[in-house]
Amino acid sequence: MPGTRCGSAGEHELQDRYGTQDRAERFYQDQVLDRLNPTMIEFIARMDMAFVATADRHGECDATFRAGLPGFLHVIDERTLAYPEYRGNGVHASLGNILENPHVGILLIDFVQDLIGLHINGSARIVDDTTLRNNVPELPENVKGRAAERWVVVDVEEAYIHCRKHIPHLVPAAREQREWGTDNIRAKGGDYFGAKAQGQADALVPR
């Protein structure tokens, strides 16, 4: 939330163009905070998934999914939260973007109980697990297969509601046994979309 006015220059240009200034201003005044209030903190504590958006220095975007046990997103205080980075494919797409451009957007959605969402925008930094635990001892404990290698710590700049109008109501199913932390290709989904097979086929086509 740069400066004292909510929203980007692009938002305000389109609000002027489409005549939505009054609606937008009411939303900014009524719903956008520069910190997490107690209700938001309680909401975050029970979420088991999050969608995270990042961009590199050129504005090339990436959106990713993060999940864990409820509480895996840890609120350090009303202006700071952290989420763990577990062992993955080694690409570090989101972390690489954060290294170049610290701005992140996090979307949390309750698909089950209240059918509501929470946007959190802020500035992020990468912190090693041991370093953060030395400063924040109440972080969730590491468990087998879900050991945080490092954390993304976010300084909250904006927090606001995502309305329930189009959020589907989902019913949780019993979760099958998962091989958390595995490098087994089949357990991770294999070549579900056929990208590897397509690449191999393309390599056989004369150029």
Side-chain angles (χ1 to χ4, degrees):
M1 189 188 293
T4 58
R5 191 183 188 194
C6 290
S8 67
E11 285 179 37
H12 294 291
E13 179 178 336
L14 291 180
Q15 290 160 18
D16 292 342
R17 184 184 303 178
Y18 300 135
T20 65
Q21 304 98 320
D22 291 343
R23 266 191 293 152
E25 195 59 36
R26 283 196 301 273
F27 182 83
Y28 292 146
Q29 290 182 0
D30 294 346
Q31 296 297 338
V32 182
L33 300 179
D34 63 355
R35 64 196 181 283
L36 304 170
N37 68 20
T39 304
M40 293 173 176
I41 292 172
E42 183 278 328
F43 182 87
I44 294 167
R46 59 186 174 84
M47 291 297 99
D48 60 1
M49 69 178 84
F51 304 92
V52 181
T54 58
D56 67 16
R57 66 167 63 94
H58 304 294
E60 298 290 335
C61 299
D62 180 75
T64 192
F65 175 73
R66 292 290 182 266
L69 299 174
F72 84 104
L73 292 120
H74 181 77
V75 176
I76 297 173
D77 57 48
E78 66 177 5
R79 296 185 184 274
T80 320
L81 65 83
Y83 65 85
E85 285 287 328
Y86 303 124
R87 178 180 173 84
N89 57 19
V91 173
H92 302 305
S94 297
L95 294 184
N97 284 348
I98 289 169
L99 198 63
E100 295 186 26
N101 173 2
H103 299 291
V104 300
I106 302 173
L107 175 60
L108 308 172
I109 298 183
D110 177 357
F111 293 101
V112 176
Q113 181 175 315
D114 295 328
L115 305 184
I116 206 75
L118 174 64
H119 291 265
I120 302 169
N121 298 328
S123 181
R125 59 191 185 277
I126 305 164
V127 182
D128 286 340
D129 182 63
T130 301
T131 301
L132 191 61
R133 288 185 187 281
N134 288 338
N135 291 281
V136 186
E138 67 272 17
L139 286 177
E141 290 294 325
N142 282 326
V143 297
K144 184 178 180 181
R146 284 184 189 261
E149 295 186 335
R150 54 198 58 87
W151 294 76
V152 174
V153 179
V154 179
D155 296 322
V156 177
E157 296 172 0
E158 293 181 332
Y160 56 91
I161 193 171
H162 186 98
C163 78
R164 63 165 46 96
K165 186 164 55 175
H166 300 297
I167 295 176
H169 187 186
L170 306 181
V171 179
R175 298 188 71 167
E176 70 276 18
Q177 184 65 37
R178 301 287 185 92
E179 294 184 57
W180 298 109
T182 183
D183 283 327
N184 181 285
I185 298 299
R186 184 178 296 277
K188 292 169 66 174
D191 191 26
Y192 181 90
F193 290 104
K196 181 178 179 179
Q198 184 65 56
Q200 291 172 341
D202 291 346
L204 297 175
V205 177
R207 300 288 180 184

